[in-house]
Amino acid sequence: MGEAKRRKQLGLMPTVLPFEAQLHTDGTVSFVRGPDDARQRRLIEDALTLTQAFGAGWEGEYRGVQVLSGGYRGNRLVTAEDVQAIPVPPLRRVTGELVLGKNAADVDGVALEVEGGAVRLRDQRHSFGGERWEAFPTLRDPQRIMRLLEDHPAFKLQGELIGQFTAEGWAQGRIDITPDPPEDLLEALEDVTRLWHGATPEQWADIHRETLDDPQAEVPQARRTTFELRRAAPLQSPLSEVFAIRRDAEFFPTEHQTYTLDGETWHAYDNPGAVAEEGNLMPELAEFFNMNMVPVTVYADGRVEWQEDDIPAEHAERIREDLRESTGAGNAEAWAEWTTRMFTETFAEELDVPEGTKLPAPVAVRLDLPADALTDDSPLAQTFIESEVTFDGQQWRDLYDEEVPEELSAFAAGQQEN
């Protein structure tokens, strides 16, 4: 006790400041109790705002636990509408401590790194009316969980695709992201990148060596990882490959991961001998174009065609159904929504589409599917690339070699003024 008292007098002991904060549905944080110092409160508030799920993210989290814990007693959950019928408590409170003078890695339990210390999270409770507060039940029976996951197909539903973004992180801390992500997700993507690559020099080196499975590997100057971002799934599943959930978005690291030792030559993690010199294709793109791809044509009326023998017969019907569901083929309204989203994402600033407007729908779209994904049960929407479209069934427009297809010229940016 004497040594602890002496260390505290010398300022060597960490400062522990308890707090209780309320998380609001709009993504803001307010304090029920906490430190008086405004800067200390800001550290807690920023950590919770950045890392916790809000909106659809919180709804998916709550509903997923409710179903898996047996708290849901209703009918089989199949569609997003089925899931949304489960009420979600609008009130949440989190208790914990701001620990100054200690790194998150050295703090017991769940801890978030902040400037000068860490925010330790101890307990989260929720309430419908503010009178009775409940914590999540502990999920202990793996067999029961697996049975419930099979009983409710809605656990396989995914949120809307936001896009794919390549994050280039440097050991010194700089992070560059291409293309620009939505402004409200920029800080979150930077935070997720630090977690994935390693937030400290020790983590940076350890994660790199673990990924290469080489404890003696030289530490890289920079790493690149392509993340796929989606809106939160209606029903969170413990089998999801999501790495992190921030607010109402899910972050999935893809297999496109590379590193550089000298800042010029980039190596693929899954094939360190394959390199791409600066000025050539980025390694993740070069890797993509070297993949064995299978071309598939999806028609607006629901037909899905490919060359004979390109796809194993035992997987044919599953792939057809997957692609119809992913593209909306066979449903005119869903097809129009998907193709409009495809065009706006592909041509970005080259199109000027008024809100609520649907673009002319093509009669067919050609997709490229990685051959190794054909026998995988994962949704194909995560793997296929749109390559060509036709509006008349005769003339095909290459989405990457040409400018905006002339059928969309009325929506080309600046065309209205002309």
Side-chain angles (χ1 to χ4, degrees), residues 260-319:
T260 177
L261 300 174
D262 58 10
E264 295 183 0
T265 303
W266 291 82
H267 307 259
Y269 270 103
D270 57 357
N271 186 6
V275 300
E277 298 298 330
E278 192 71 17
N280 294 335
L281 281 175
M282 290 194 336
E284 50 268 29
L285 291 179
E287 179 184 330
F288 168 77
F289 286 115
N290 287 332
M291 293 173 66
N292 183 19
M293 307 299 288
V294 174
V296 174
T297 303
V298 180
Y299 293 86
D301 60 13
R303 288 176 293 145
V304 181
E305 298 178 350
W306 52 74
Q307 291 292 327
E308 188 176 358
D309 298 330
D310 272 358
I311 292 177
E314 62 270 25
H315 297 285
E317 190 55 36
R318 175 184 61 82
I319 290 172

Side-chain angles (χ1 to χ4, degrees), residues 187-200:
E187 188 176 0
L189 182 51
E190 291 175 343
D191 179 65
V192 169
T193 300
R194 291 188 192 95
L195 288 176
W196 183 255
H197 289 166
T200 67

